[in-house]
């Protein structure tokens, strides 16, 4: 089956406006015309409209790092789907591990965000992944399948196809320690089996599951060659244009 990978950069809370725009311009120059892989970058909220200008006319889409589940009103500090679409976002990350474990977002909150994105025509990237202690306690499959079940609650078969899942083992994020291709593939295969149970197998084959956690040029090709890894959600390396380009290249080959 022909697979088109999806590689996205999550810039996290790192770049100022000028840096974001400069980074986007550099990426446009290096990979802006690539069609063989779907690409997106997710800058901080405040940089979205600047980055949208830099990405205009390129094949690089834009996503937000988070989103709120209400339309508008008295929700100080939050950002709605309509606002994100207004500045040019196609994607929104929901349930990144840093939001789960630093900010304290629950599966219920994350599910509301996923449903809101779907309802309003934004594509959610739903992140799941176990803590190191959970892996050591042999709870990885339980934790990840619970996060998937709860995160996708109420999502129809017709809509799940537009959801990207991202398996990001928390112990591999920003640590330089990557899951081995076998470790990642094992969890991705489980997620796909679960999607087969929740929906059906044909559909499960077509839902994209990204891997995230210290993806870099040196390990990208081997990870992306795994049968159930359909792309990558890249943190640190997405801030370096040459590294991000090399990861995109690994996805094409
Ligand atoms: P790193 O690639 O820096 O480990 O970050 C991964 C991540 O959290 C992407 O969302």
């Amino acid at each position: 089956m022909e697979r088109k990978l999806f590689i996205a950069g999550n810039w996290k809370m790192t770049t100022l406006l000028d840096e974001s725009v400069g980074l986007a311009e550099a990426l446009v120059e290096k990979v802006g015309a690539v069609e063989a892989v779907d690409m997106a970058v997710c800058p901080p909220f405040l940089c979205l409209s600047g980055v949208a200008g830099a990405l205009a006319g390129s094949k690089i889409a834009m996503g937000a790092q988070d989103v709120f589940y209400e339309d508008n009103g008295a929700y100080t500090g939050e950002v709605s789907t309509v606002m994100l679409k207004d500045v040019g976002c196609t994607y929104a990350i929901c349930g990144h591990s840093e939001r789960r474990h630093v900010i304290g977002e629950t599966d219920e909150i994350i599910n509301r965000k996923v449903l809101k994105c779907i309802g309003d025509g934004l594509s959610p990237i739903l992140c799941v992944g176990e803590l190191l202690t959970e892996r050591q306690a042999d709870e990885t499959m339980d934790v990840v399948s619970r996060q998937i079940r709860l995160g996708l609650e109420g999502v129809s078969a017709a809509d799940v196809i537009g959801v990207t899942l991202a398996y990001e083992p928390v112990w591999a994020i920003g640590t330089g320690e990557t899951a081995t291709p076998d470790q990642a593939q094992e969890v991705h295969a489980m997620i796909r089996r679960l999607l087969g149970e929740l929906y059906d197998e044909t559909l499960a084959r077509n839902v994209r599951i990204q891997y995230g956690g210290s993806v870099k040029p040196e390990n990208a090709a081997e990870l992306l060659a795994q049968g159930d890894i359909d792309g990558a959600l890249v943190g640190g390396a997405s801030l370096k244009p040459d590294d991000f380009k090399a990861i995109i290249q690994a996805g094409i080959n």
Side-chain angles (χ1 to χ4, degrees), residues 8-10 12 93 96-98 127 168 172-176 212-216 233-238:
N10 173 7
K12 307 195 181 184
I93 298 175
H96 191 279
S97 71
E98 288 141 22
C127 298
E168 300 204 300
I173 296 178
T175 58
S214 298
V215 175
K216 42 197 171 209
L233 187 54
V234 186
S238 72

